[in-house]
Amino acid sequence: MTIELDALVIGAGFAGMYQLHLLRDQLKLNVKAVEAGTGVGGTWFWNRYPGARCDSESHVYWYTFSEELMKEWEWSERYPGQAEILRYLNFAADKLDLKKDIAFETRVISAQFDAAANRWRVATQGGDIYVVKYLISAVGCLSTANVPKFPGLETFAGDWYHTGEWPHAGVDFTGKRVGMVGTGSTGIQAAPVIAEQAAHLTVFQRTANYSVPARNAPLPTEFKQYVKQNAKQIRATTRETLNGMAFKIEDRKAVETQAEEREKIYEAAWERGGLQFRASFQDMLTSKEANDTAADFVKRKIRSIVKDPKTAALLSDIDHPYAAKRPPIDTDYFETYNRDNVTLVDVRSKPIMGISERGILTEDGEYPVDIIVFATGFDAMTGPLQRLNIVGRDGVALKDAWEAGPRNYLGLGIAGFPNLFTITGPGSPSVLCNMPVAIEQHADWIARCIEHMRANGLETIEAKPEAVEQWIAEVNELANKTLLPQAKHSWYLGANIPGKPRVFMPYAGGMVRYRETCDSVAANGYEGFVLA
Ligand code: N01
């Protein structure tokens, strides 16, 4: 079937749903969304692994464009769990009546720009062709599962799963020997929950990781009321902070604070729990000396929690600055290693060689398991876009244009790919920000841009190559002012995927500065874009 539309949105998670709403209900475009899953939810549709929960606190992890939606929904816990977020997104989709305009179980396999017709031709796995003027990717940053290519995986006699493609029916670990590979945010959330059920859990750690207690808890009635009464103010606060959270980064510097006082501050932040640990001092991500104080504090905490000295040493032998990789938060992660049925295996010194029929093979020998859980992350940021097989002007494929790393303007537009917008694309704050805040800003900007084009009879918008050059230079410069690029094994850099170019992908200048830049670009007639 060939379907002609004004616009097509790819993906029906937080981003795609909001973009569909704006384009359909505000701009009155003829627009649809396509979604590979059988339901809305994106990340939260696919990531159903045990312990899956958001690290943003619930009162900032939702749509804030509608006060009505904010007042009608009530979160039950400090951090929303996967099932509750999925319920929330279904609630929002139903309130906005979005589902009727989303084609589910529809995976995009290619998108080709037809310059003569000034249209994108988008092909789906089912054989449909969407012919559209505007193409908006809302495919998320972490939606292309990375299953390491371990030789012999196909010979494994047990079951294996990637956390980002978790079976809807769940996995029963009762009585099973489980091997889990990966100790990022996902593995750190999953391990304590799996360990409670499994006969034995063996965690295969390549890079030791920091983690701070989340201190999740049910929300008291008073707080729920506070959120309802202050919905507008909460929204406003998330627009004023560097990372779209409701907490502000303290003005004080770790290097100018007396050791005793600093310890008290870290201790209080540890007790309070959550991502705001990294907001304790303003110099934590810019000064190695400051960062060392936080790193040292967390490492000492790990050693104080984990009883077996060898395991404690492995867990606290962390090779990167605190928060230079996305910092996880946890519920009893380090405590889990005190259980009799949990073992930690270091696969940095003795890497995984492959998978046998019976289990996981490292240079140290075979670890027999019944189930393997790959908490091995994603081909982040560029992976989901590349999977769409996008071909722009003059037959240039995105995979060739980005061979040396992503190159775009504002993280939103790509030279040679007219009328294509990438929500939370590389080069935008995205994963360094509370995602719904970054998403709403992008979707609003895109809607305003399309509105401007229609009001002025403009047919195409395309980033100028020189604007792309400047933007990439700015993204690099901002990242290099921080310690972020110093984590060698970070997915921010693409370093988790063999052969992927090492480029720091997110915009590290903060959401406030980024928003101002985008607004001023629009106010100056979409400076840096060619409009025709
Ligand atoms: O993935 P990761 P994730 N052999 O890439 C290891 C978001 N998120 O799914 O560090 C052995 O961080 C890898 O080792 P190394 C959040 O933004 C959010 O955990 O590359 N090990 C690492 O330990 C997060 O950052 C939330 O050396 C291998 C792990 O697998 C992002 O998603 C919850 C390996 C992968 O860690 C991704 O997190 C969860 C190999 N061949 C996730 N390959 C919330 O907000 C990889 N590893 C709650």
Side-chain angles (χ1 to χ4, degrees):
M1 206 159 61
T2 299
I3 303 140
E4 291 190 24
L5 300 169
D6 296 324
L8 183 71
V9 178
I10 308 175
F14 261 106
M17 283 170 49
Y18 181 47
Q19 190 72 79
L20 174 62
H21 164 64
L22 286 178
L23 298 185
R24 187 192 68 181
D25 302 332
Q26 281 191 9
L27 268 61
K28 311 288 179 209
L29 296 193
N30 185 10
V31 53
K32 301 272 180 218
V34 286
E35 163 59 52
T38 55
V40 298
T43 285
W44 303 103
F45 177 87
W46 300 103
N47 284 264
R48 297 169 188 242
Y49 61 86
R53 186 176 291 286
C54 184
D55 288 347
S56 294
E57 295 188 43
S58 53
H59 65 286
V60 297
Y61 199 76
W62 55 354
Y63 291 122
T64 61
F65 66 87
S66 152
E67 226 183 309
E68 191 189 329
L69 274 185
M70 289 174 90
K71 288 196 167 152
E72 278 188 33
W73 185 259
E74 196 171 274
W75 293 109
S76 67
E77 293 176 277
R78 178 173 174 187
Y79 304 92
Q82 175 270 334
E84 191 171 18
I85 302 173
L86 199 54
R87 275 201 302 282
Y88 167 72
L89 286 168
N90 274 283
F91 152 81
D94 292 337
K95 276 293 289 185
L96 301 169
D97 198 15
L98 295 176
K99 289 178 184 168
K100 66 175 198 272
D101 289 310
I102 304 171
F104 292 105
E105 294 181 82
T106 303
R107 185 176 284 286
V108 169
I109 55 166
S110 70
Q112 200 141 14
F113 185 66
D114 174 350
N118 192 36
R119 290 291 181 275
W120 282 95
R121 293 178 65 82
V122 182
T124 71
Q125 208 161 35
D128 290 333
I129 305 283
Y130 286 85
V131 180
V132 302
K133 185 160 172 185
Y134 304 104
L135 181 60
I136 298 110
S137 103
V139 290
C141 300
L142 297 157
S143 52
T144 306
N146 165 44
V147 179
K149 294 187 174 47
F150 293 129
L153 181 57
E154 68 289 350
T155 67
F156 181 55
D159 296 319
W160 65 266
Y161 309 94
H162 185 281
T163 50
E165 292 171 347
W166 202 257
H168 287 200
V171 175
D172 185 5
F173 294 104
T174 314
K176 306 282 188 195
R177 295 164 305 171
V178 182
M180 188 184 82
V181 185
T183 53
S185 297
T186 300
I188 281 176
Q189 285 188 327
V193 186
I194 296 174
E196 286 211 344
Q197 211 186 49
H200 197 92
L201 170 67
T202 307
V203 178
F204 295 82
Q205 170 187 283
R206 186 164 68 180
T207 307
N209 214 341
Y210 300 96
S211 185
V212 168
R215 312 252 183 243
N216 187 38
L219 286 177
T221 312
E222 310 82 74
F223 189 78
K224 291 179 186 170
Q225 276 162 3
Y226 168 84
V227 172
K228 281 194 204 303
Q229 283 157 8
N230 295 278
K232 251 184 159 160
Q233 184 51 43
I234 292 170
R235 176 188 155 91
T237 306
T238 60
R239 267 56 184 176
E240 288 159 8
T241 56
L242 204 65
N243 49 17
M245 297 291 187
F247 58 81
K248 298 206 166 125
I249 294 173
E250 297 289 344
D251 271 339
R252 63 189 172 219
K253 289 187 170 177
V255 292
E256 289 170 2
T257 307
Q258 291 296 321
E260 206 175 314
E261 175 62 13
R262 208 167 48 214
E263 188 76 4
K264 273 195 205 145
I265 291 168
Y266 284 138
E267 196 62 59
W270 181 269
E271 281 313 310
R272 194 167 52 240
L275 287 174
Q276 65 257 58
F277 185 85
R278 70 177 156 174
S280 303
F281 297 100
Q282 55 124 312
D283 51 350
M284 221 140 108
L285 262 180
T286 49
S287 148
K288 176 74 170 56
E289 192 188 343
N291 193 284
D292 283 347
T293 66
D296 173 64
F297 178 86
V298 179
K299 289 176 188 177
R300 277 188 282 120
K301 280 287 182 194
I302 297 170
R303 290 191 290 265
S304 76
I305 296 168
V306 180
K307 293 192 180 123
D308 172 51
K310 202 170 148 240
T311 307
L314 274 178
L315 287 167
S316 59
D317 184 15
I318 306 173
D319 66 356
H320 53 278
Y322 174 73
K325 289 174 94 168
R326 159 70 151 72
I329 60 174
D330 71 274
T331 301
D332 295 336
Y333 175 63
F334 295 114
E335 289 81 351
T336 293
Y337 291 95
N338 293 334
R339 297 176 64 108
D340 292 338
N341 69 335
V342 178
T343 313
L344 181 69
V345 173
D346 170 27
V347 293
R348 164 74 61 213
S349 62
K350 304 236 164 70
I352 297 176
M353 311 290 291
I355 309 292
S356 68
E357 196 185 331
R358 283 161 29 100
I360 296 179
L361 297 167
T362 77
E363 282 184 10
D364 218 14
E366 185 183 63
Y367 291 85
V369 291
D370 304 308
I371 296 176
I372 302 175
V373 174
F374 290 110
T376 41
F378 303 89
D379 180 356
M381 309 204 74
T382 50
L385 289 168
Q386 294 296 12
R387 192 157 67 160
L388 301 174
N389 294 314
I390 302 173
V391 178
R393 211 184 265 294
D394 305 323
V396 175
L398 187 65
K399 73 173 173 9
D400 296 325
W402 283 10
E403 200 180 2
R407 305 188 64 74
N408 61 14
Y409 179 41
L410 303 176
L412 271 166
I414 309 165
F417 297 78
N419 293 356
L420 168 68
F421 300 94
T422 52
I423 302 181
T424 64
S428 76
S430 59
V431 293
L432 296 180
C433 182
N434 177 31
M435 285 303 278
V437 173
I439 284 167
E440 285 187 347
Q441 185 264 341
H442 261 189
D444 286 338
W445 192 94
I446 293 165
R448 282 204 313 274
C449 176
I450 294 176
E451 192 175 30
H452 170 85
M453 290 174 69
R454 288 166 66 84
N456 292 281
L458 298 161
E459 291 293 314
T460 61
I461 180 163
E462 184 177 340
K464 291 181 182 169
E466 58 270 29
V468 171
E469 290 302 316
Q470 275 172 21
W471 186 250
I472 296 304
E474 185 171 341
V475 169
N476 284 324
E477 192 188 318
L478 289 166
N480 289 332
K481 282 185 182 161
T482 72
L483 303 173
L484 290 165
Q486 291 190 18
K488 292 195 295 286
H489 304 288
S490 161
W491 59 257
Y492 290 158
L493 277 168
N496 61 328
I497 303 294
K500 191 167 171 172
R502 299 281 190 277
V503 176
F504 190 83
M505 293 183 283
Y507 171 91
M511 198 59 210
V512 175
R513 175 176 167 158
Y514 177 78
R515 182 190 303 277
E516 282 167 9
T517 306
C518 291
D519 288 348
S520 102
V521 163
N524 293 329
Y526 293 88
E527 202 176 10
F529 289 97
V530 182
L531 287 145

